[in-house]
Amino acid sequence: MNSLRWKVPLGAVYTGGVQLGAYALERLDPAARERVLRACSTNADNLDAGRWETLPASAFLVEEPMPLPYALLLTAVLGYCEYAYGAWWTAAAFLFGHGAATLLVYEVLRRTAGPRTRRAVDVGTSYGFNAVLGVLTSALPRGPVRTAARAGLLALAVRPVLMRGRTFTDAGHLVALGLGLGVSVAADYLSGAKSPKIVWMTRVTS
């Protein structure tokens, strides 16, 4: 007898949890809200002080509720990645991109940033989102479509970095996307090498 197995969509649960947390933060008085955000921020001051717990914590907070189009896009990207590669792999890719991009940006900021930037609030989902977006290019058909998608995503991420009003988060988005694309390209190479003990993306469409 066949039975349908229902799986909890972790991407949707994550997005909903972050959004609910943002609405809860809005109900706090401004001083308390500021304390929570700064305590979970991966700014240079916190990381210099050894507050490494901010690395995962910052991925579960946003400064204000996410706009609906972005929340839906985040849910869709995480959901498709979860469908293609599995929930735990998606979570690992998201947290890897979030943490690695944060640390790479921090290495630059700790040497060059002024006091205001060093203590800036730095929380959100965008680094992980960009990393997963880069990873998902491996789910596209091989050839021109996949190459064009990677080039297009890079062009979109580079543009804000080249503008006059750029911020360190613009650089972080580019770094996170680059990390995701790097994982994607490595997966392409390993898949082409046909090494099943190494290739972990077993459901990538080619």
Side-chain angles (χ1 to χ4, degrees):
M1 180 177 178
N2 294 329
S3 61
L4 294 176
R5 295 179 61 190
W6 182 78
K7 295 182 179 180
V8 176
L10 293 184
V13 171
Y14 166 76
T15 303
V18 171
Q19 194 76 318
L20 287 174
Y23 286 123
L25 276 178
E26 281 195 325
R27 298 179 67 87
L28 298 177
D29 67 83
R33 177 178 173 276
E34 184 76 6
R35 283 196 299 271
V36 171
L37 289 172
R38 291 197 176 278
C40 296
S41 178
T42 49
N43 57 36
D45 280 355
N46 276 347
L47 294 179
D48 276 348
R51 300 188 185 102
W52 302 108
E53 70 278 3
T54 60
L55 280 174
S58 60
F60 292 88
L61 282 179
V62 289
E63 292 187 63
E64 56 189 23
M66 295 177 286
L68 182 59
Y70 175 76
L72 292 175
L73 182 60
L74 177 62
T75 302
V77 168
L78 294 180
Y80 187 75
C81 192
E82 189 175 343
Y83 167 78
Y85 308 139
W88 295 113
W89 196 94
T90 300
F94 184 95
L95 291 174
F96 165 72
H98 174 82
T102 297
L103 291 175
L104 289 171
V105 171
Y106 160 66
E107 282 301 315
V108 176
L109 292 181
R110 66 194 297 255
R111 297 182 178 90
T112 61
R116 182 176 179 180
T117 301
R118 289 181 59 84
R119 63 174 180 268
V121 172
D122 187 17
V123 297
T125 65
S126 57
Y127 287 5
F129 167 77
N130 277 277
V132 172
L133 197 60
V135 165
L136 269 181
T137 58
S138 281
L140 296 172
R142 289 181 182 271
V145 171
R146 193 177 296 186
T147 301
R150 287 169 174 164
L153 288 173
L154 277 174
L156 289 173
V158 166
R159 185 174 180 273
V161 176
L162 299 179
M163 297 180 68
R164 185 184 298 272
R166 62 184 177 272
T167 65
F168 69 87
T169 56
D170 295 323
H173 295 156
L174 176 60
V175 171
L177 178 66
L179 290 168
L181 290 173
V183 171
S184 178
V185 170
D188 287 354
Y189 172 79
L190 294 173
S191 179
K194 297 181 180 179
S195 179
K197 291 185 179 180
I198 298 176
V199 178
W200 58 92
M201 296 181 187
T202 57
R203 296 203 296 269
V204 175
T205 58
S206 298

